[in-house]
mmCIF file of all heavy atoms in Angstrom:
data_model
loop_
_atom_site.group_PDB
_atom_site.id
_atom_site.type_symbol
_atom_site.label_atom_id
_atom_site.label_comp_id
_atom_site.label_asym_id
_atom_site.label_seq_id
_atom_site.Cartn_x
_atom_site.Cartn_y
_atom_site.Cartn_z
ATOM 1 N N TYR A 24 0.848 -1.192 0.000
ATOM 2 C CA TYR A 24 0.000 0.000 0.000
ATOM 3 C C TYR A 24 0.882 1.239 0.000
ATOM 4 O O TYR A 24 1.891 1.308 0.696
ATOM 5 C CB TYR A 24 -0.919 -0.013 1.223
ATOM 6 C CG TYR A 24 -2.113 0.887 1.107
ATOM 7 C CD1 TYR A 24 -3.098 0.645 0.159
ATOM 8 C CD2 TYR A 24 -2.262 1.992 1.931
ATOM 9 C CE1 TYR A 24 -4.192 1.472 0.049
ATOM 10 C CE2 TYR A 24 -3.356 2.821 1.829
ATOM 11 C CZ TYR A 24 -4.321 2.560 0.884
ATOM 12 O OH TYR A 24 -5.411 3.391 0.774
ATOM 13 N N GLU A 25 0.512 2.243 -0.765
ATOM 14 C CA GLU A 25 1.392 3.393 -0.993
ATOM 15 C C GLU A 25 1.122 4.605 -0.112
ATOM 16 O O GLU A 25 1.730 5.657 -0.307
ATOM 17 C CB GLU A 25 1.295 3.805 -2.463
ATOM 18 C CG GLU A 25 -0.102 4.135 -2.893
ATOM 19 C CD GLU A 25 -0.383 3.789 -4.355
ATOM 20 O OE1 GLU A 25 0.222 2.872 -4.883
ATOM 21 O OE2 GLU A 25 -1.215 4.484 -4.941
ATOM 22 N N TYR A 26 0.250 4.476 0.877
ATOM 23 C CA TYR A 26 -0.066 5.595 1.757
ATOM 24 C C TYR A 26 0.113 5.222 3.221
ATOM 25 O O TYR A 26 -0.104 4.084 3.608
ATOM 26 C CB TYR A 26 -1.525 6.048 1.564
ATOM 27 C CG TYR A 26 -1.819 6.544 0.179
ATOM 28 C CD1 TYR A 26 -2.496 5.754 -0.732
ATOM 29 C CD2 TYR A 26 -1.413 7.806 -0.216
ATOM 30 C CE1 TYR A 26 -2.763 6.206 -2.008
ATOM 31 C CE2 TYR A 26 -1.673 8.268 -1.487
ATOM 32 C CZ TYR A 26 -2.357 7.462 -2.379
ATOM 33 O OH TYR A 26 -2.605 7.918 -3.634
ATOM 34 N N ASP A 27 0.476 6.225 4.033
ATOM 35 C CA ASP A 27 0.389 6.093 5.477
ATOM 36 C C ASP A 27 -1.043 6.467 5.853
ATOM 37 O O ASP A 27 -1.638 7.360 5.246
ATOM 38 C CB ASP A 27 1.369 7.038 6.174
ATOM 39 C CG ASP A 27 2.813 6.595 6.002
ATOM 40 O OD1 ASP A 27 3.044 5.394 5.786
ATOM 41 O OD2 ASP A 27 3.710 7.455 6.107
ATOM 42 N N ILE A 28 -1.587 5.799 6.859
ATOM 43 C CA ILE A 28 -3.007 5.927 7.186
ATOM 44 C C ILE A 28 -3.179 6.279 8.656
ATOM 45 O O ILE A 28 -2.489 5.734 9.506
ATOM 46 C CB ILE A 28 -3.731 4.595 6.936
ATOM 47 C CG1 ILE A 28 -3.506 4.098 5.524
ATOM 48 C CG2 ILE A 28 -5.214 4.712 7.255
ATOM 49 C CD1 ILE A 28 -3.810 2.633 5.374
ATOM 50 N N MET A 29 -4.155 7.138 8.941
ATOM 51 C CA MET A 29 -4.555 7.388 10.325
ATOM 52 C C MET A 29 -6.076 7.445 10.370
ATOM 53 O O MET A 29 -6.700 8.253 9.669
ATOM 54 C CB MET A 29 -3.973 8.691 10.854
ATOM 55 C CG MET A 29 -4.268 8.886 12.320
ATOM 56 S SD MET A 29 -3.319 10.207 13.091
ATOM 57 C CE MET A 29 -4.152 11.624 12.478
ATOM 58 N N LEU A 30 -6.670 6.582 11.168
ATOM 59 C CA LEU A 30 -8.116 6.566 11.365
ATOM 60 C C LEU A 30 -8.428 7.185 12.723
ATOM 61 O O LEU A 30 -7.904 6.742 13.742
ATOM 62 C CB LEU A 30 -8.643 5.132 11.337
ATOM 63 C CG LEU A 30 -8.774 4.487 9.970
ATOM 64 C CD1 LEU A 30 -8.863 2.989 10.107
ATOM 65 C CD2 LEU A 30 -9.984 5.019 9.261
ATOM 66 N N THR A 31 -9.285 8.198 12.737
ATOM 67 C CA THR A 31 -9.736 8.813 13.973
ATOM 68 C C THR A 31 -11.212 8.489 14.126
ATOM 69 O O THR A 31 -12.016 8.822 13.260
ATOM 70 C CB THR A 31 -9.545 10.341 13.937
ATOM 71 O OG1 THR A 31 -8.183 10.626 13.636
ATOM 72 C CG2 THR A 31 -9.907 10.971 15.264
ATOM 73 N N VAL A 32 -11.568 7.829 15.220
ATOM 74 C CA VAL A 32 -12.932 7.359 15.436
ATOM 75 C C VAL A 32 -13.724 8.391 16.223
ATOM 76 O O VAL A 32 -13.234 8.945 17.207
ATOM 77 C CB VAL A 32 -12.920 6.003 16.178
ATOM 78 C CG1 VAL A 32 -14.318 5.521 16.458
ATOM 79 C CG2 VAL A 32 -12.147 4.971 15.368
ATOM 80 N N PHE A 33 -14.985 8.635 15.780
ATOM 81 C CA PHE A 33 -15.864 9.591 16.437
ATOM 82 C C PHE A 33 -17.074 8.937 17.085
ATOM 83 O O PHE A 33 -17.760 9.570 17.868
ATOM 84 C CB PHE A 33 -16.388 10.630 15.434
ATOM 85 C CG PHE A 33 -15.314 11.364 14.710
ATOM 86 C CD1 PHE A 33 -15.261 11.349 13.341
ATOM 87 C CD2 PHE A 33 -14.350 12.066 15.397
ATOM 88 C CE1 PHE A 33 -14.278 12.038 12.659
ATOM 89 C CE2 PHE A 33 -13.355 12.751 14.736
ATOM 90 C CZ PHE A 33 -13.328 12.734 13.360
ATOM 91 N N ASP A 34 -17.381 7.691 16.739
ATOM 92 C CA ASP A 34 -18.614 7.052 17.183
ATOM 93 C C ASP A 34 -18.330 5.815 18.021
ATOM 94 O O ASP A 34 -17.714 4.860 17.543
ATOM 95 C CB ASP A 34 -19.445 6.668 15.957
ATOM 96 C CG ASP A 34 -20.821 6.141 16.301
ATOM 97 O OD1 ASP A 34 -21.210 6.216 17.477
ATOM 98 O OD2 ASP A 34 -21.511 5.656 15.383
ATOM 99 N N GLU A 35 -18.771 5.844 19.262
ATOM 100 C CA GLU A 35 -18.594 4.712 20.167
ATOM 101 C C GLU A 35 -19.323 3.470 19.652
ATOM 102 O O GLU A 35 -18.949 2.344 19.962
ATOM 103 C CB GLU A 35 -19.127 5.089 21.552
ATOM 104 C CG GLU A 35 -19.002 4.024 22.590
ATOM 105 C CD GLU A 35 -19.535 4.470 23.943
ATOM 106 O OE1 GLU A 35 -20.074 5.583 24.046
ATOM 107 O OE2 GLU A 35 -19.388 3.689 24.890
ATOM 108 N N GLY A 36 -20.321 3.663 18.833
ATOM 109 C CA GLY A 36 -21.111 2.557 18.300
ATOM 110 C C GLY A 36 -20.325 1.594 17.427
ATOM 111 O O GLY A 36 -20.786 0.485 17.156
ATOM 112 N N LEU A 37 -19.140 1.975 16.972
ATOM 113 C CA LEU A 37 -18.334 1.065 16.150
ATOM 114 C C LEU A 37 -17.922 -0.188 16.914
ATOM 115 O O LEU A 37 -17.568 -1.183 16.303
ATOM 116 C CB LEU A 37 -17.081 1.766 15.626
ATOM 117 C CG LEU A 37 -17.269 2.689 14.435
ATOM 118 C CD1 LEU A 37 -15.930 3.259 13.988
ATOM 119 C CD2 LEU A 37 -17.930 1.997 13.280
ATOM 120 N N SER A 38 -17.986 -0.155 18.227
ATOM 121 C CA SER A 38 -17.616 -1.334 19.004
ATOM 122 C C SER A 38 -18.653 -2.438 18.870
ATOM 123 O O SER A 38 -18.328 -3.613 18.999
ATOM 124 C CB SER A 38 -17.432 -0.984 20.481
ATOM 125 O OG SER A 38 -18.672 -0.629 21.050
ATOM 126 N N GLY A 39 -19.904 -2.082 18.578
ATOM 127 C CA GLY A 39 -20.958 -3.082 18.491
ATOM 128 C C GLY A 39 -21.572 -3.239 17.118
ATOM 129 O O GLY A 39 -22.513 -4.014 16.949
ATOM 130 N N VAL A 40 -21.075 -2.515 16.137
ATOM 131 C CA VAL A 40 -21.602 -2.606 14.776
ATOM 132 C C VAL A 40 -21.300 -3.992 14.212
ATOM 133 O O VAL A 40 -20.205 -4.514 14.429
ATOM 134 C CB VAL A 40 -20.950 -1.511 13.894
ATOM 135 C CG1 VAL A 40 -21.238 -1.723 12.431
ATOM 136 C CG2 VAL A 40 -21.409 -0.153 14.318
ATOM 137 N N PRO A 41 -22.245 -4.592 13.490
ATOM 138 C CA PRO A 41 -21.943 -5.882 12.866
ATOM 139 C C PRO A 41 -20.725 -5.794 11.954
ATOM 140 O O PRO A 41 -20.463 -4.767 11.322
ATOM 141 C CB PRO A 41 -23.204 -6.185 12.048
ATOM 142 C CG PRO A 41 -24.279 -5.378 12.691
ATOM 143 C CD PRO A 41 -23.608 -4.157 13.253
ATOM 144 N N SER A 42 -19.996 -6.865 11.888
ATOM 145 C CA SER A 42 -18.743 -6.912 11.142
ATOM 146 C C SER A 42 -18.934 -6.530 9.670
ATOM 147 O O SER A 42 -18.115 -5.816 9.093
ATOM 148 C CB SER A 42 -18.156 -8.320 11.249
ATOM 149 O OG SER A 42 -16.988 -8.428 10.509
ATOM 150 N N GLU A 43 -20.011 -7.000 9.057
ATOM 151 C CA GLU A 43 -20.257 -6.720 7.638
ATOM 152 C C GLU A 43 -20.453 -5.219 7.397
ATOM 153 O O GLU A 43 -19.963 -4.671 6.410
ATOM 154 C CB GLU A 43 -21.503 -7.477 7.139
ATOM 155 C CG GLU A 43 -21.375 -8.978 7.191
ATOM 156 C CD GLU A 43 -21.624 -9.558 8.581
ATOM 157 O OE1 GLU A 43 -22.299 -8.900 9.423
ATOM 158 O OE2 GLU A 43 -21.114 -10.658 8.841
ATOM 159 N N THR A 44 -21.152 -4.564 8.308
ATOM 160 C CA THR A 44 -21.387 -3.128 8.182
ATOM 161 C C THR A 44 -20.080 -2.349 8.316
ATOM 162 O O THR A 44 -19.806 -1.440 7.538
ATOM 163 C CB THR A 44 -22.385 -2.652 9.258
ATOM 164 O OG1 THR A 44 -23.565 -3.446 9.172
ATOM 165 C CG2 THR A 44 -22.729 -1.195 9.075
ATOM 166 N N LEU A 45 -19.280 -2.737 9.292
ATOM 167 C CA LEU A 45 -17.993 -2.073 9.501
ATOM 168 C C LEU A 45 -17.089 -2.260 8.282
ATOM 169 O O LEU A 45 -16.461 -1.305 7.816
ATOM 170 C CB LEU A 45 -17.309 -2.613 10.757
ATOM 171 C CG LEU A 45 -15.965 -2.008 11.120
ATOM 172 C CD1 LEU A 45 -16.099 -0.510 11.372
ATOM 173 C CD2 LEU A 45 -15.393 -2.703 12.333
ATOM 174 N N GLN A 46 -17.041 -3.463 7.757
ATOM 175 C CA GLN A 46 -16.221 -3.728 6.575
ATOM 176 C C GLN A 46 -16.676 -2.895 5.389
ATOM 177 O O GLN A 46 -15.853 -2.347 4.654
ATOM 178 C CB GLN A 46 -16.272 -5.207 6.221
ATOM 179 C CG GLN A 46 -15.542 -6.085 7.195
ATOM 180 C CD GLN A 46 -15.628 -7.546 6.832
ATOM 181 O OE1 GLN A 46 -16.083 -7.918 5.753
ATOM 182 N NE2 GLN A 46 -15.187 -8.401 7.740
ATOM 183 N N LYS A 47 -17.978 -2.776 5.209
ATOM 184 C CA LYS A 47 -18.514 -1.981 4.102
ATOM 185 C C LYS A 47 -18.116 -0.517 4.237
ATOM 186 O O LYS A 47 -17.690 0.115 3.266
ATOM 187 C CB LYS A 47 -20.041 -2.119 4.061
ATOM 188 C CG LYS A 47 -20.686 -1.375 2.932
ATOM 189 C CD LYS A 47 -22.191 -1.527 2.969
ATOM 190 C CE LYS A 47 -22.823 -0.671 1.905
ATOM 191 N NZ LYS A 47 -24.271 -0.584 2.048
ATOM 192 N N GLN A 48 -18.241 0.038 5.454
ATOM 193 C CA GLN A 48 -17.874 1.444 5.683
ATOM 194 C C GLN A 48 -16.395 1.682 5.393
ATOM 195 O O GLN A 48 -16.025 2.678 4.763
ATOM 196 C CB GLN A 48 -18.180 1.837 7.122
ATOM 197 C CG GLN A 48 -19.650 1.891 7.449
ATOM 198 C CD GLN A 48 -19.904 2.102 8.928
ATOM 199 O OE1 GLN A 48 -19.006 1.940 9.753
ATOM 200 N NE2 GLN A 48 -21.131 2.458 9.272
ATOM 201 N N LEU A 49 -15.541 0.772 5.848
ATOM 202 C CA LEU A 49 -14.102 0.931 5.632
ATOM 203 C C LEU A 49 -13.744 0.784 4.161
ATOM 204 O O LEU A 49 -12.922 1.546 3.636
ATOM 205 C CB LEU A 49 -13.331 -0.068 6.489
ATOM 206 C CG LEU A 49 -13.357 0.233 7.990
ATOM 207 C CD1 LEU A 49 -12.843 -0.959 8.780
ATOM 208 C CD2 LEU A 49 -12.541 1.466 8.297
ATOM 209 N N LYS A 50 -14.346 -0.171 3.471
ATOM 210 C CA LYS A 50 -14.074 -0.340 2.035
ATOM 211 C C LYS A 50 -14.464 0.901 1.253
ATOM 212 O O LYS A 50 -13.735 1.338 0.357
ATOM 213 C CB LYS A 50 -14.826 -1.555 1.487
ATOM 214 C CG LYS A 50 -14.176 -2.859 1.805
ATOM 215 C CD LYS A 50 -14.935 -4.012 1.182
ATOM 216 C CE LYS A 50 -14.326 -5.328 1.595
ATOM 217 N NZ LYS A 50 -15.058 -6.477 1.058
ATOM 218 N N GLU A 51 -15.619 1.476 1.584
ATOM 219 C CA GLU A 51 -16.060 2.692 0.898
ATOM 220 C C GLU A 51 -15.097 3.853 1.142
ATOM 221 O O GLU A 51 -14.774 4.604 0.223
ATOM 222 C CB GLU A 51 -17.471 3.071 1.356
ATOM 223 C CG GLU A 51 -18.540 2.147 0.833
ATOM 224 C CD GLU A 51 -19.915 2.439 1.423
ATOM 225 O OE1 GLU A 51 -20.036 3.359 2.276
ATOM 226 O OE2 GLU A 51 -20.867 1.738 1.042
ATOM 227 N N ALA A 52 -14.628 3.995 2.365
ATOM 228 C CA ALA A 52 -13.691 5.082 2.673
ATOM 229 C C ALA A 52 -12.362 4.872 1.950
ATOM 230 O O ALA A 52 -11.812 5.808 1.369
ATOM 231 C CB ALA A 52 -13.472 5.173 4.177
ATOM 232 N N PHE A 53 -11.837 3.651 1.969
ATOM 233 C CA PHE A 53 -10.558 3.392 1.309
ATOM 234 C C PHE A 53 -10.680 3.491 -0.206
ATOM 235 O O PHE A 53 -9.703 3.797 -0.887
ATOM 236 C CB PHE A 53 -10.007 2.024 1.724
ATOM 237 C CG PHE A 53 -9.192 2.068 2.985
ATOM 238 C CD1 PHE A 53 -9.803 2.106 4.223
ATOM 239 C CD2 PHE A 53 -7.816 2.101 2.933
ATOM 240 C CE1 PHE A 53 -9.062 2.160 5.387
ATOM 241 C CE2 PHE A 53 -7.056 2.168 4.091
ATOM 242 C CZ PHE A 53 -7.685 2.196 5.323
ATOM 243 N N ALA A 54 -11.868 3.259 -0.751
ATOM 244 C CA ALA A 54 -12.070 3.393 -2.198
ATOM 245 C C ALA A 54 -11.979 4.851 -2.639
ATOM 246 O O ALA A 54 -11.673 5.139 -3.795
ATOM 247 C CB ALA A 54 -13.415 2.806 -2.594
#
């Protein structure tokens, strides 16, 4: 991968979000 990355989390709800939803959100952001 050609970039350095920093993720800053704003929502406590990410701890309980279903795995599929979290993966979808991350894929969309990285796209």
Side-chain angles (χ1 to χ4, degrees):
Y24 199 65
E25 57 212 29
Y26 298 103
D27 289 335
I28 306 162
M29 186 167 76
L30 283 162
T31 305
V32 178
F33 304 123
D34 187 9
E35 180 179 4
L37 281 183
S38 68
V40 169
S42 178
E43 297 80 22
T44 306
L45 181 61
Q46 289 179 10
K47 182 181 175 191
Q48 292 172 345
L49 289 167
K50 281 183 184 178
E51 288 173 358
F53 273 79

